[in-house]
Amino acid sequence: MRLSKKKSQKQARQNPNFFEGASVNKTELIDHISGTADISKAAATRALDALIGAVKTTLKKNGSVTLVGFGTFTVGKRAARTGRNPRTGDAIKIKAAKVPKFRPGKALKDALN
């Protein structure tokens, strides 16, 4: 059951445990940001998109992004390896790749325990 826009924003402001589900999508996160920061959905969308864009840009340059109390985004390196085609069983070469990694900060870990 979906709540109306005003109800969900009001509930998000009043209840810090608003997200009861196992996962939150981008739209729900934008609703929560706009409600708690008392800004429009458009402004919340721009802010979230700017954050995601900044993290992507920094990681593309092999940098890292540290948000004190939340965590650190870094680039990890996965070595080239040999894998197996599950259909045929043939050996295949898998190229080396860069992968995003996230290491949670102490405050985030403490909030979960």
Side-chain angles (χ1 to χ4, degrees):
M1 180 178 143
R2 282 281 191 207
L3 298 173
S4 71
K5 178 182 168 184
K6 285 190 178 186
K7 258 189 177 175
S8 64
Q9 287 180 347
K10 183 178 179 184
Q11 189 176 12
R13 267 188 244 120
Q14 293 173 348
N15 184 2
N17 300 321
F18 178 66
F19 302 117
E20 296 174 6
S23 63
V24 176
N25 65 28
K26 186 175 179 180
T27 304
E28 292 169 336
L29 188 56
I30 288 169
D31 288 343
H32 182 71
I33 292 169
S34 69
T36 55
D38 199 26
I39 59 176
S40 69
K41 278 189 175 185
T45 302
R46 287 191 304 271
L48 184 58
D49 287 343
L51 173 68
I52 293 169
V55 171
K56 281 183 187 178
T57 302
T58 304
L59 293 181
K60 280 183 183 179
K61 296 177 182 177
N62 286 327
S64 66
V65 178
T66 301
L67 302 172
V68 176
F70 183 71
T72 303
F73 296 92
T74 58
V75 177
K77 294 177 183 167
R78 187 178 291 157
R81 62 193 191 281
T82 302
R84 293 263 174 219
N85 181 331
R87 286 191 182 175
T88 64
D90 293 342
I92 57 172
K93 292 182 180 177
I94 302 171
K95 293 180 182 179
K98 294 178 185 176
V99 293
K101 290 187 175 186
F102 177 75
R103 193 175 77 230
K106 184 177 182 329
L108 180 59
K109 288 180 191 176
D110 292 345
L112 299 177
N113 293 318

